[in-house]
Amino acid sequence: EEEESSSASPSGNTNCDTIQTRTVTTTPAVAQRVYACRVDPLQDDRSIELTNKINTWERPHMRAFHCAWFCYFMAFCIWFSVAPLLSEIQDDLDLSKHQIWSSSIAGVGSTIFMRFINGPLCDKYGPRIVMSIILGSASIPTCCIGLVRNGTDLLVVRMFIGISGSTFVMCQYWCTRMFAKEVVGTANAMAGGWGNLGGAVTQLVVGSVLFPLFKFVFRDSEVAWRTVCIVPAAIAMYTSYWILNNSDDSPKGNYADLKRERTNGNVEAPKVSIWESFFSGLNNLNTWLLFVQYACCFGVEITMNNAAALYFKDEFGQSTESAAAIASIFGWMNLFARGMGGYLSDHANKNHGGMRGRLMAQSTLLFFEGCLVLCF
């Protein structure tokens, strides 16, 4: 059953400006659901509200938003939990800079591989399950940092930890599934930015707070770096378990439930092929254009996250704790920078020709980023 109420804008435009609040009952056994956000039924009940609901927690829209960014935040925390400790690991294991950089490359390489896979998996199973599996799986090797004995061990462990970076796919997929085109740019940017903030927090908390605390407790810096990563790993593991039963894949429910309802109602569900989804994206030129652009921006960011603390210690003689605190400053930019980028994109979409406006905003920001990298 469905009950709908609509209100048109003063302009009288009942196509784009109509807002509908829907009460939905999927089966007689399920209580009626009232969306806390205003939704657009023409966009599959996606929310057209975000910033004025940012401090709420209601399912499905805002719960999914907060789960998406926090899961990505925790993924960044475990992904770069080793970064502020690399100087200690290098000294204790007598590793070369080549071995340290090889481990960083392995941690990024596994992310690239998994991102190709996670997109089609989200299409088939929904973002919630895929997010839970990847985040929980990456927590295990994070706990194993303490077992590292040489450069090869470090490379392998960081390679498996690196799959956590692929949670970006689920984060963006989830927000896109929940929010309408009017606000989806801001939603994706805020979720991605707050998630990336984990790179700053883990530098500060692991490198400047927990590491000296563990060093004080155990009276041994080597024991400290071998055990400190268990803390973010444990939080990430619990988060991966919690979201399974406390969030939704889409405004109308979880993918598995929706498929079951279609089956019970004798409605043929659209078949989703993982490989067809994968090759559809692979054969799209726009995919590769965005691939290059994203490599130029996010590639710079993760290079900084991996190298900054080690750089400040080697070049300026900072302690591990001080170098980690200084390196975290770069990551704190995500608190506002990505959100502003999303807002700018939505503004350009609305006032400067739709997608062409978004492309203008993207190109402008990339140009200035390139200039600043050259200055650095």
Side-chain angles (χ1 to χ4, degrees):
E1 298 176 4
E2 296 184 357
E3 297 177 7
E4 300 185 1
S5 61
S6 62
S7 58
S9 67
S11 64
N13 187 336
T14 59
N15 183 23
C16 297
D17 298 324
T18 297
I19 299 169
Q20 297 193 348
T21 303
R22 309 181 69 193
T23 302
V24 179
T25 305
T26 54
T27 66
V30 180
Q32 287 188 335
R33 165 184 279 177
V34 178
Y35 293 133
C37 299
R38 292 181 296 169
V39 303
D40 183 355
L42 299 180
Q43 298 186 59
D44 203 21
D45 286 359
R46 286 175 169 86
S47 172
I48 55 95
E49 294 183 299
L50 175 64
T51 53
N52 60 326
K53 296 284 186 178
I54 203 71
N55 61 341
T56 62
W57 185 244
E58 286 88 352
R59 299 173 73 166
H61 301 91
M62 296 313 301
R63 178 74 61 87
F65 171 79
H66 289 300
C67 285
W69 79 258
F70 187 74
C71 285
Y72 189 42
F73 174 89
M74 287 311 306
F76 249 75
C77 283
I78 61 177
W79 192 10
F80 293 106
S81 59
V82 183
L85 309 173
L86 286 176
S87 60
E88 298 288 335
I89 296 173
Q90 183 179 18
D91 292 341
D92 288 338
L93 301 184
D94 194 24
L95 302 179
S96 66
K97 285 188 176 181
H98 174 75
Q99 289 174 304
I100 293 295
W101 272 105
S102 295
S103 72
S104 297
I105 292 170
V108 175
S110 59
T111 295
I112 297 171
F113 174 75
M114 288 304 300
R115 288 192 181 196
F116 277 112
I117 295 176
N118 286 349
L121 289 176
C122 285
D123 286 337
K124 189 171 182 66
Y125 301 108
R128 179 181 53 94
I129 292 176
V130 184
M131 177 73 87
S132 178
I133 291 174
I134 296 298
L135 186 60
S137 299
S139 301
I140 298 172
T142 306
C143 292
C144 297
I145 285 295
L147 304 178
V148 168
R149 294 284 180 255
N150 51 53
T152 302
D153 290 350
L154 181 64
L155 184 147
V156 172
V157 170
R158 293 195 71 188
M159 180 182 69
F160 283 107
I161 294 174
I163 68 173
S164 61
S166 67
T167 54
F168 176 72
V169 175
M170 289 76 83
C171 172
Q172 300 294 275
Y173 187 104
W174 217 345
C175 289
T176 303
R177 194 69 185 82
M178 289 289 180
F179 294 94
K181 63 182 180 180
E182 291 82 359
V183 296
V184 70
T186 304
N188 280 333
M190 291 180 68
W194 292 357
N196 279 21
L197 189 64
V201 173
T202 198
Q203 294 269 9
L204 189 62
V205 173
V206 173
S208 301
V209 178
L210 293 179
F211 175 69
L213 176 62
F214 277 48
K215 188 165 59 173
F216 173 78
V217 171
F218 294 111
R219 305 293 180 180
D220 188 325
S221 61
E222 182 172 355
V223 175
W225 70 254
R226 288 185 181 278
T227 54
V228 71
C229 290
I230 293 175
V231 176
I235 299 173
M237 179 66 78
Y238 176 76
T239 302
S240 70
Y241 169 77
W242 189 88
I243 64 171
L244 280 176
N245 298 315
N246 294 280
S247 59
D248 307 279
D249 288 322
S250 71
K252 296 180 180 178
N254 296 324
Y255 279 23
D257 296 334
L258 295 174
K259 183 178 180 180
R260 192 179 304 114
E261 288 174 10
R262 292 191 186 102
T263 302
N264 293 339
N266 294 320
V267 177
E268 185 177 355
K271 294 182 179 180
V272 177
S273 168
I274 292 177
W275 290 110
E276 286 183 8
S277 176
F278 175 76
F279 285 113
S280 175
L282 197 65
N283 293 326
N284 191 323
L285 178 61
N286 292 322
T287 299
W288 296 102
L289 292 174
L290 291 172
F291 171 86
V292 174
Q293 294 179 47
Y294 193 55
C296 292
C297 62
F298 190 62
V300 171
E301 179 174 356
I302 58 178
T303 299
M304 288 288 288
N305 283 338
N306 271 314
L310 192 60
Y311 173 79
F312 287 122
K313 184 171 183 179
D314 289 346
E315 291 294 321
F316 302 106
Q318 298 294 314
S319 65
T320 298
E321 295 85 349
S322 297
I326 297 170
S328 72
I329 296 173
F330 176 79
W332 283 104
M333 292 283 289
N334 284 294
L335 188 61
F336 66 89
R338 279 210 179 195
M340 289 299 296
Y343 174 80
L344 178 62
S345 180
D346 283 341
H347 178 79
N349 175 69
K350 182 179 179 180
N351 299 292
H352 300 285
M355 183 56 71
R356 181 163 294 277
R358 292 190 190 274
L359 292 173
M360 289 172 57
Q362 172 88 334
S363 299
T364 301
L365 292 175
L366 280 172
F367 174 80
F368 282 109
E369 183 216 355
C371 292
L372 292 172
V373 169
L374 289 174
C375 291
F376 177 79

